[in-house]
Amino acid sequence: PPVIDGNLDDWEFFEKFTYFNPTIKKENYTNAQDCSGIFSSCWDENNYYFFIKVTDDVYNQPFTTNLINKGDSVVLVFDSELEKDFNIPFLNNDDYEIDFSAGDNSGSSAESFVRWPSNAPLRNAVIASKKGSGGYIIEASIPWVNMPTATILDETIFGFTVSILDTDNLESTELVISSSKQFDFNNVSTLGTLILIDVG
């Protein structure tokens, strides 16, 4: 597995995802220099690992803990029982919404918060981040024990979307770009898919 240290050398041979779409407050999207991202992930029997490199011309994260989704942040949404939920648009007990921050404006460490279903910090996660003038990097491992309804096997399919929240100098989110073509925090039918593939 990759070492979670904010250095992306470990990810050299992993495929990268870059096709983020403006999904919420689309009218505020200008160009990729304003907000864009590169995402990659992998897994083993213990953890889900990911990194995201966000291009953001103005980093603004005045919040911590349960409020980090009000500032510049990243949100991962998983639906662990996708087939059962085809006709259920709202979040239920097999869905997980996890927020990540690269740290606040005062220099605090990277952190995460499980918005749904537990409304509590992510347990036993390892998170690293780097911030610069052109954006930030978040790298993390999420122990699967945080998703007790998930089946961790080759070819397991999740509903999944990663979204980047951009606030610039405002006090609330002015733009969301997502890995899905559409995204709504309260509608899991807009999620894309994530498939676990064992290449070992």
Side-chain angles (χ1 to χ4, degrees):
V3 177
I4 306 302
D5 57 3
N7 185 328
L8 303 184
D9 290 348
D10 291 347
W11 295 91
E12 179 182 359
F13 299 108
F14 290 87
E15 292 186 7
K16 313 299 190 297
F17 178 88
T18 60
Y19 301 105
F20 286 88
N21 304 282
T23 51
I24 298 175
K25 298 188 178 180
K26 303 177 187 179
E27 66 276 10
N28 294 327
Y29 179 77
T30 54
N31 54 49
Q33 283 67 48
D34 175 39
C35 188
S36 58
I38 301 171
F39 176 80
S40 188
S41 66
C42 61
W43 65 285
D44 60 23
E45 62 183 6
N46 299 311
N47 299 287
Y48 177 77
Y49 308 88
F50 79 90
F51 89 81
I52 188 162
K53 183 177 182 179
V54 176
T55 296
D56 187 348
D57 57 348
V58 178
Y59 184 76
N60 182 31
Q61 176 53 280
F63 303 102
T64 60
T65 60
N66 64 320
L67 298 179
I68 58 177
N69 67 328
K70 294 182 178 295
D72 284 343
S73 55
V74 173
V75 179
L76 275 60
V77 180
F78 297 82
D79 183 345
S80 67
E81 296 184 352
L82 183 62
E83 189 171 339
K84 292 182 180 180
D85 291 347
F86 277 149
N87 299 312
I88 304 175
F90 50 84
L91 294 166
N92 60 21
N93 63 0
D94 59 57
D95 302 320
Y96 305 91
E97 181 180 326
I98 309 173
D99 303 337
F100 290 87
S101 163
D104 69 11
N105 295 340
S106 300
S108 68
S109 299
E111 62 178 316
S112 63
F113 192 84
V114 182
R115 180 98 16 221
W116 180 273
S118 62
N119 198 40
L122 187 63
R123 290 178 297 153
N124 301 317
V126 180
I127 311 168
S129 68
K130 290 183 178 180
K131 292 183 284 186
S133 58
Y136 59 94
I137 291 169
I138 296 174
E139 187 182 25
S141 63
I142 303 172
W144 288 119
V145 294
N146 288 279
M147 304 183 211
T149 61
T151 300
I152 312 306
L153 294 172
D154 185 34
E155 299 186 356
T156 295
I157 301 175
F158 289 85
F160 178 79
T161 291
V162 52
S163 295
I164 299 168
L165 282 59
D166 186 23
T167 62
D168 284 356
N169 295 309
L170 303 180
E171 294 183 357
S172 61
T173 302
E174 72 166 28
L175 171 68
V176 177
I177 63 172
S178 305
S179 58
S180 304
K181 292 183 178 180
Q182 301 179 50
F183 181 65
D184 182 333
F185 286 103
N186 300 307
N187 187 347
V188 294
S189 68
T190 64
L191 299 178
T193 53
L194 173 75
I195 304 174
L196 303 186
I197 302 296
D198 184 355
V199 297

